[in-house]
């Protein structure tokens, strides 16, 4: 379970950041590909569309934080798409770390250490659920 205080922090900070969603996506993918150039091959579509998709996914997760058990099907579907893209469960840890760093950088002047902790807790829970489903789907296909 995710700590209620972390959920509230993530909701509050995302409410302040949501208008910057595509910019967060742009900065995030720039950083991701700079630090992990091998990940670039996983993304074949339009870059701007990918930026929007990331912001949409973050928003979807945040709106369901108290009901993560109710988005099991969305998590399975997301995992299935990521398996097709070649994503491996171990990719999530660096992805989450970099995503939280990027989100923090957009509001650096107002960002607090507890925000980083809350975002990491929330994104790790979601990432772990997706990674677990990816691993299960990869096991089925072997």
């Amino acid at each position: 379970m995710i700590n209620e205080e972390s959920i509230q922090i993530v909701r509050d900070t995302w409410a302040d950041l949501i208008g910057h969603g595509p910019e967060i996506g742009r900065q995030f993918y720039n950083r991701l590909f700079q630090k992990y150039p091998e990940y670039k091959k996983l993304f074949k579509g339009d870059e701007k569309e990918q930026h929007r998709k990331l912001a949409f996914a973050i928003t979807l997760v945040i709106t369901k934080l108290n009901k993560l058990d109710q988005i099991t099907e969305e998590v399975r579907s997301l995992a299935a798409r990521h398996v097709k893209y070649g994503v491996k469960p171990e990719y999530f840890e660096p992805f989450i770390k970099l995503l939280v760093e990027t989100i923090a950088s957009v509001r650096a002047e107002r960002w607090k250490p507890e925000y980083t902790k809350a975002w990491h807790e929330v994104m790790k829970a979601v990432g772990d659920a997706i990674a677990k489903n990816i691993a299960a789907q990869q096991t089925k296909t072997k």
Side-chain angles (χ1 to χ4, degrees):
M1 280 305 282
I2 301 170
N3 176 317
E4 284 296 322
E5 184 179 353
S6 294
I7 290 172
Q8 196 57 52
I9 288 170
V10 168
R11 282 190 173 142
D12 292 347
T13 53
W14 188 245
D16 185 46
L17 291 164
I18 195 166
H20 300 278
E23 176 60 19
I24 289 169
R26 186 188 66 73
Q27 285 185 32
F28 168 74
Y29 285 109
N30 285 343
R31 290 174 177 200
L32 182 71
F33 300 147
Q34 184 176 17
K35 192 164 184 171
Y36 303 98
E38 66 275 17
Y39 288 7
K40 182 103 170 123
K41 69 179 186 241
L42 301 172
F43 300 89
K44 299 188 177 20
D46 176 60
E47 284 184 25
K48 288 183 180 179
E49 182 61 24
Q50 190 62 42
H51 304 163
R52 286 189 291 273
K53 284 180 181 179
L54 178 62
F56 176 78
I58 293 169
T59 302
L60 175 66
V61 166
I62 289 170
T63 61
K64 304 280 187 172
L65 283 177
N66 286 355
K67 307 172 201 133
L68 285 179
D69 58 318
Q70 295 178 9
I71 62 168
T72 305
E73 197 51 46
E74 286 100 331
V75 168
R76 279 193 200 117
S77 176
L78 190 60
R81 285 196 306 276
H82 282 75
V83 166
K84 289 179 189 173
Y85 304 146
V87 173
K88 297 178 182 172
E90 60 268 21
Y91 293 176
F92 282 90
E93 178 108 13
F95 183 96
I96 290 165
K97 184 178 185 303
L98 204 54
L99 178 60
V100 174
E101 288 172 6
T102 303
I103 290 169
S105 75
V106 172
R107 285 289 189 246
E109 72 282 355
R110 290 189 272 175
W111 201 258
K112 298 177 182 177
E114 60 265 27
Y115 297 175
T116 298
K117 184 176 181 242
W119 272 90
H120 192 268
E121 178 185 353
V122 167
M123 290 294 120
K124 182 169 178 1
V126 173
D128 286 352
I130 296 169
K132 179 180 162 190
N133 276 276
I134 286 174
Q137 290 182 31
Q138 287 174 335
T139 302
K140 282 186 205 174
T141 59
K142 288 184 179 179

